[in-house]
Amino acid sequence: QVQLVQSGGGLVQAGGSLRLSCAASGLKVSKYVMGWFRQSRGKEREFVAVIGWSGGTILYSASAKGRFTVSRDNAKNTVFLQMNSLKPEDTGVYYCAADSPYPYQSAESYAYWGQGTQVTVSS
């Protein structure tokens, strides 16, 4: 049984940082494409970042590029999303996901999802 358990998140002021974690069981994060998505109120789930199974492919959304960093610890079977220079528009529920998706940026391409964690950035 696959489980993705998320931690991190919370309330932070604009300009601050947060780190999200996604601990996997039932699959090896080294063998899957691991994605991060955000769902803001009234909006569809949108792509934030992805790391490929080889680690050679790392992609970010335009809004995340330069501020967020996705990484993976194979020994801990965990994926991370380091978020710096946070802005109020980064507010939302963040989800990690795992699969062998195509395209990487499409939420519909992922079968396995974490429970989501709230990130709120105050101005």
Side-chain angles (χ1 to χ4, degrees), residues 71-93:
S71 63
R72 181 176 61 210
D73 186 330
N74 292 338
K76 295 182 178 179
N77 211 30
T78 300
V79 177
F80 304 97
L81 184 67
Q82 177 68 44
M83 304 185 294
N84 299 328
S85 302
L86 283 161
K87 305 174 182 179
E89 50 264 43
D90 295 320
T91 294
V93 179

Side-chain angles (χ1 to χ4, degrees), residues 1 7 9-10 18-19 32 37 41 43 46 51 56 59 62 65 72-73 78 83 91 94 109-112 115 122:
Q1 182 181 359
S7 59
L18 286 172
R19 188 174 84 153
Y32 281 77
F37 293 80
R41 188 176 300 176
K43 295 185 178 180
E46 61 179 342
I51 182 167
L59 300 173
K65 197 170 186 178
R72 181 176 61 210
D73 186 330
T78 300
M83 304 185 294
T91 294
Y94 283 72
S109 301
Y110 291 80
Y112 305 113
Q115 81 276 16
S122 63

Side-chain angles (χ1 to χ4, degrees), residues 19-74:
R19 188 174 84 153
L20 307 182
S21 300
C22 174
S25 61
L27 62 81
K28 291 185 181 297
V29 299
S30 60
K31 301 294 186 183
Y32 281 77
V33 173
M34 302 297 297
W36 287 96
F37 293 80
R38 174 178 67 225
Q39 189 159 23
S40 304
R41 188 176 300 176
K43 295 185 178 180
E44 292 186 355
R45 201 166 294 188
E46 61 179 342
F47 168 76
V48 176
V50 67
I51 182 167
W53 49 74
S54 67
T57 299
I58 294 179
L59 300 173
Y60 298 98
S61 66
S63 63
K65 197 170 186 178
R67 299 187 299 125
F68 294 5
T69 302
V70 61
S71 63
R72 181 176 61 210
D73 186 330
N74 292 338

Side-chain angles (χ1 to χ4, degrees), residues 11-15 86-89 91 120-123:
L11 174 64
V12 65
Q13 288 189 330
L86 283 161
K87 305 174 182 179
E89 50 264 43
T91 294
T120 303
V121 184
S122 63
S123 56

